[in-house]
């Protein structure tokens, strides 16, 4: 089955700096890669996603890049703000059922004012 | 986007009792739903795939007799934790998707077994 590795496990940045979180996946058949932000006790919130036929996607301060050959994808947050502090998860999906997700281990992002 | 509602949001039960958690798709029909478990400070782990009208598919290591899943209608899947023990205390969350769309999550259920 799919295995997703996520790094780093914790990331501390100063407000205004950029943050980068990286994930690798094992199953070359995976074709959908979402990123989630989760606050304590809450459901995961989709912040950006990318499909396997796209190499990069950007939404305001957030961008995701995908390298299918190397089987890795990354989340980039620019101009970080304290409210970006949360746990971030990457995930991978194979096939057409996008509800069946394999999650990375998570990254605790702390943005210091 | 589509709405998935989960109930209850939290529950405390005594060791040895059973607890039922409901997951409803409010504005779409979901032939397939998914159940995840999240221990504190850990990631979400897929427990099982709930299939409307047929048996659930469990991930390796998940006891099907302990975590009973019923998906009797196109909008409702239930997870029953039977003979709960303190080690079953966790955050349980369901999801569903509309074909090749994003996954929609329920609010999650915090289960505490005392």
């Amino acid at each position: 089955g799919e295995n997703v590795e996520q790094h780093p496990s914790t990331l501390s940045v100063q407000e205004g700096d950029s943050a980068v979180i990286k994930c690798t996946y094992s199953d070359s058949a995976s074709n959908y890669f979402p990123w989630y932000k989760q606050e304590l006790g809450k459901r995961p919130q989709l912040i950006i996603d990318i499909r396997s036929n796209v190499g990069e996607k950007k939404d305001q301060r957030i961008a995701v890049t995908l390298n299918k050959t190397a089987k890795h994808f990354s989340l980039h947050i620019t101009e970080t703000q304290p409210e970006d502090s949360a746990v971030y998860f990457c995930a991978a999906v194979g096939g057409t059922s996008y509800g069946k997700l394999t999650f990375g281990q998570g990254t605790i992002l702390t943005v210091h004012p | 986007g589509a709405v998935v509602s989960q109930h209850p949001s939290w529950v405390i039960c005594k060791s040895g009792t059973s607890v039922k958690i409901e997951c409803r798709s409010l504005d779409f029909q979901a032939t397939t739903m998914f159940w995840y478990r999240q221990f504190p400070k850990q990631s979400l782990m897929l427990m099982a795939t709930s299939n409307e009208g047929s048996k659930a598919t469990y991930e390796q290591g998940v006891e099907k007799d302990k975590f009973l899943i019923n998906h009797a209608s196109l909008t409702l899947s239930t997870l029953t934790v039977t003979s709960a023990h303190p080690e079953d205390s966790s955050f349980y969350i369901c999801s569903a998707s509309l074909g090749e769309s994003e996954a929609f999550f329920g609010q999650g259920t915090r289960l505490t077994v005392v």
Side-chain angles (χ1 to χ4, degrees), chain A residues 31-32 36 38 40-46 49 51 89-90 95-106 108, chain B residues 4 32 34 36 38 42-46 49 59 91 93 95-97 99-103 105-108 110:
Chain A
N31 54 12
Y32 174 64
Y36 294 93
Q38 188 182 31
L40 192 63
K42 300 287 183 63
R43 75 184 93 191
Q45 175 190 357
L46 179 71
D49 56 12
R51 286 169 169 74
F89 292 98
C90 63
T96 58
S97 189
Y98 282 17
K100 188 174 183 179
L101 300 148
T102 300
F103 286 89
Q105 295 87 344
I108 301 171
Chain B
V4 174
T32 306
F34 304 90
Y36 296 84
Q38 186 177 32
Q42 294 189 23
S43 187
L44 292 87
M45 297 295 293
L46 179 67
T49 301
E59 295 300 303
F91 188 61
I93 190 164
S95 79
S97 66
E100 293 186 11
S101 72
E102 65 181 274
F105 288 91
Q107 302 95 317
R110 172 72 59 192

Side-chain angles (χ1 to χ4, degrees), chain B residues 19-106:
Chain B
V19 173
K20 180 184 285 189
I21 302 169
E22 294 187 347
C23 179
R24 294 180 184 273
S25 54
L26 297 187
D27 50 3
F28 67 103
Q29 293 181 330
T31 56
T32 306
M33 292 185 176
F34 304 90
W35 287 96
Y36 296 84
R37 179 169 54 183
Q38 186 177 32
F39 291 110
K41 299 185 179 181
Q42 294 189 23
S43 187
L44 292 87
M45 297 295 293
L46 179 67
M47 298 176 66
T49 301
S50 174
N51 304 297
E52 187 268 334
S54 65
K55 292 182 179 181
T57 304
Y58 292 83
E59 295 300 303
Q60 191 173 6
V62 177
E63 301 174 60
K64 61 180 181 181
D65 294 331
K66 181 169 185 62
F67 298 100
L68 301 179
I69 293 173
N70 184 279
H71 195 151
S73 79
L74 287 170
T75 59
L76 174 65
S77 174
T78 61
L79 169 68
T80 301
V81 182
T82 63
S83 186
H85 291 284
E87 57 265 32
D88 298 323
S89 298
S90 188
F91 188 61
Y92 293 87
I93 190 164
C94 65
S95 79
S97 66
L98 284 166
E100 293 186 11
S101 72
E102 65 181 274
F104 300 100
F105 288 91

Side-chain angles (χ1 to χ4, degrees), chain A residues 13 38 85:
Chain A
V13 299
Q38 188 182 31
S85 298

